[in-house]
Amino acid sequence: MVSILFPISATVGNTQKPRKSLPTANIISDGTKLKIQDGQTTQIIQASRLNLRVLDGLNCQARKILPSQRLAGRRFLPQGFSFNPKTGNLAVGVVLQECFDIQQSAVFILEPQRSWRSYAIYRVQLPGRKALPDEFSSYPFRNIIKIGFFANDLLVKYGDASDSQGLLVFGNSGKPAGKYDGCVVTSVGENQNICPIVISD
C-alpha cells in the first residue's frame, strides 16, 4: 500500500508526461544537508535554510506552547523527501524541534530553477484553529513517516508517540506548495485527534 501511495516516479494522467529523468537526492552530514544531483549540477541544501513561523507549537527551551515562534530546520528526515514526477519539484520534511517525545516538523517544496542551479522555497501550510496570517506560517507537523506524490497531490503520512497515524492530502492549487484538502486517520492509538482541528471563520 505504501508503494502505491508514495511513488517516487510515475506517469501522471493520460495527457501529461513526467520528466524524462529525475535528479537524485541524498541526505549527508548527519542529516543537516541534502545533496541533489541533476546531470552535471550539484546542489547542497542546508536544513537550517528552511524556516517558517510556527503557530501554537511547543518551545523546547521555554517548555511551553507559544502562540508564535520562528523556527529553522535542524535536520532532514531520510523518509521525508520525494520528487514530483510531473514538475520535478522536491518535497522535503525537516525536524524543527524534538523534546519530551514530541517532534515538531515542517514540509517544504523546493522548485528548481535552471536545472537546480538555484531553487525557490515554498512552505506547505498545515491549518489549525486560527487562520494562518501569511504564506510563511504553519501549524507544526508531527512525526513525519513518509512523503510522496500521487496524481500530482502531495501526501504526508505522520504520527505521534501514541502510535496514532494520519494521512494528510495537499491538493493541486496551481501553487507549488498546494492547498490542504483534508486528513484521514490510518491508525488509532491513545490520541484520538491525530488530524488537525480546523475551525473555519
Side-chain angles (χ1 to χ4, degrees), residues 68-136:
S68 176
Q69 56 183 319
R70 175 69 66 176
L71 296 176
R74 291 181 178 269
R75 59 182 173 87
F76 290 98
L77 292 162
Q79 71 280 14
F81 65 91
S82 179
F83 286 98
N84 185 329
K86 177 186 173 184
T87 64
N89 292 347
L90 176 62
V92 296
V94 297
V95 175
L96 303 172
Q97 286 194 107
E98 192 170 21
C99 56
F100 312 115
D101 293 326
I102 297 174
Q103 190 177 89
Q104 292 184 104
S105 304
V107 179
F108 298 84
I109 299 293
L110 307 181
E111 183 182 49
Q113 314 290 319
R114 298 177 295 120
S115 297
W116 284 100
R117 289 180 176 83
S118 62
Y119 57 92
I121 301 172
Y122 299 90
R123 291 144 183 88
V124 176
Q125 295 184 286
L126 188 65
R129 295 177 181 272
K130 298 179 182 179
L132 298 172
D134 52 46
E135 62 184 314
F136 306 104

Side-chain angles (χ1 to χ4, degrees), residues 137-156:
S137 303
S138 175
Y139 282 81
F141 288 76
R142 302 186 191 184
N143 299 359
I144 294 175
I145 299 170
K146 189 74 174 177
I147 290 177
F149 289 92
F150 182 74
N152 211 33
D153 290 341
L154 172 66
L155 307 180
V156 180

Side-chain angles (χ1 to χ4, degrees), residues 41-52:
T41 302
T42 300
Q43 181 68 253
I44 304 294
I45 299 172
Q46 297 185 12
S48 59
R49 287 201 60 191
L50 306 178
N51 61 80
L52 81 167

